[in-house]
């Protein structure tokens, strides 16, 4: 029997699962219970044949309306630091998931909600969505990784403007600024999300996982370290037969032509260069 969660509704599919963040009456906001459950949701889905997850918010008004202000207002400075670090840790956990994660932003998406969305691999917004990091308007700053991920997503200039002014951006403007990958009418949001994922899932599972690891290095490492990570992930792809068998089949079919001299029997599955 599938596990029941207090704040998440899981609709499992053969390859794509939908996960709805559901805190009616609390703007689907992120509190300590949501933080704890999110890690369990990811682990549970990673143990299945699922390859991708679409996250969306319950109801029509909110995707995620930030972190829970009622919980935060009761924090001492030390407790606020701990709360921030726990949110950062679960968002890092999202980045490291082998699953392809997509945020289908169906409404207001600000503060911790946008930090959640930035921790996903892909983002699709409805035309009526409003997106941003308005924490400075209420006398705090982003605490779930927003000051770190946003500059890497859109550059320091725009990130500084967004965080310092606290402005929210509607769907089409968010698309033009690179905050999201696609924008769709509200009634076509999930269809657009599924279409984008379907294009990604045509690729073999191992290639997507290694691509995610290399892209993660680009976010967090120096250029030299990122190059090293890319080469390592590239090499890991050759532990799989997919590329070699694809080249063999294309050469045999004549759709790929080359003047290279291959070892005898290689096109029939014989050995090539030693691995």
């Amino acid at each position: 029997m599938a596990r029941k969660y207090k704040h998440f509704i899981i609709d499992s599919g053969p390859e794509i699962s939908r996960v709805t963040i559901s805190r009616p009456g609390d703007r689907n906001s992120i509190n300590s219970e949501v933080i704890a459950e999110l890690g369990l949701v990811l682990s549970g889905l990673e143990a299945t044949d699922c390859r991708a997850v679409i996250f969306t918010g319950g109801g029509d008004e909110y995707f995620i309306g930030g972190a829970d202000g009622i919980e935060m207002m009761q924090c001492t400075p030390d407790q606020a630091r701990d709360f921030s670090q726990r949110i950062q840790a679960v968002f890092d956990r999202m980045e490291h998931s082998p699953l392809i994660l997509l945020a289908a932003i169906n409404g207001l998406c600000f503060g911790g909600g946008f930090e959640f969305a930035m921790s996903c691999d892909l983002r699709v917004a409805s035309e009526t969505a409003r997106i941003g990091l308005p924490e400075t308007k209420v006398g705090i700053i982003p605490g779930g990784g927003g000051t770190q991920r946003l500059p890497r997503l859109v550059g320091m200039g725009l990130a500084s403007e967004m965080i310092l002014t606290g402005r929210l951006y509607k769907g089409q403007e968010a698309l033009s600024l690179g905050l999201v990958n696609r924008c769709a009418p509200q009634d076509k949001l999930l269809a657009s999300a599924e279409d984008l994922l379907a294009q990604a899932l045509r690729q073999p599972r191992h290639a997507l996982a290694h691509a995610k690891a290399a892209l993660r290095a680009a976010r967090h490492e120096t250029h030299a370290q990122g190059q090293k990570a890319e080469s390592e992930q590239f090499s890991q792809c050759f532990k799989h037969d997919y590329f070699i068998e694809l080249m063999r089949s294309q050469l045999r079919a004549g759709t790929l032509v080359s003047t290279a001299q291959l070892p005898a029997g290689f096109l029939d599955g014989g050995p090539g260069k030693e691995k």
Side-chain angles (χ1 to χ4, degrees), residues 182-264:
R182 288 188 179 184
C183 182
Q186 182 82 328
D187 62 348
K188 293 182 171 58
L189 176 66
L190 291 177
S192 180
E194 289 177 351
D195 176 69
L196 182 55
L197 283 178
Q199 293 181 47
L201 295 184
R202 293 170 189 163
Q203 285 44 269
R205 184 187 296 262
H206 72 273
L208 295 178
H210 292 309
K212 277 197 62 168
L215 287 165
R216 189 165 60 246
R219 295 188 194 103
H220 301 297
E221 308 292 348
T222 66
H223 180 70
Q225 291 169 330
Q227 295 273 64
K228 182 178 180 181
E230 180 182 86
S231 293
E232 179 59 29
Q233 296 301 324
F234 178 75
S235 75
Q236 294 300 308
C237 294
F238 287 80
K239 292 183 176 180
H240 302 265
D241 292 333
Y242 188 94
F243 173 73
I244 295 171
E245 291 305 320
L246 181 63
M247 294 298 102
R248 279 176 169 153
S249 66
Q250 290 181 356
L251 285 166
R252 287 195 295 263
T255 56
L256 176 64
V257 178
S258 174
T259 61
Q261 296 298 310
L262 294 170

Side-chain angles (χ1 to χ4, degrees), residues 122-174:
L122 300 165
R123 287 160 295 282
V124 178
S126 72
E127 292 174 344
T128 55
R130 295 176 67 203
I131 297 168
L133 296 175
E135 286 90 340
T136 56
K137 288 185 173 181
V138 295
I140 59 175
I141 70 168
T147 63
Q148 306 305 301
R149 285 191 175 88
L150 187 57
R152 293 181 173 96
L153 180 65
V154 297
M156 185 60 74
L158 178 56
S160 297
E161 178 181 335
M162 288 183 63
I163 292 170
L164 297 179
T165 66
R167 182 182 166 196
L168 299 182
Y169 300 82
K170 289 187 177 180
Q172 283 291 346
E173 189 173 10

Side-chain angles (χ1 to χ4, degrees), residues 67-78:
D68 191 320
I70 303 303
E71 181 172 350
M72 290 192 296
M73 71 181 287
Q74 302 175 69
C75 287
T76 65
D78 286 343

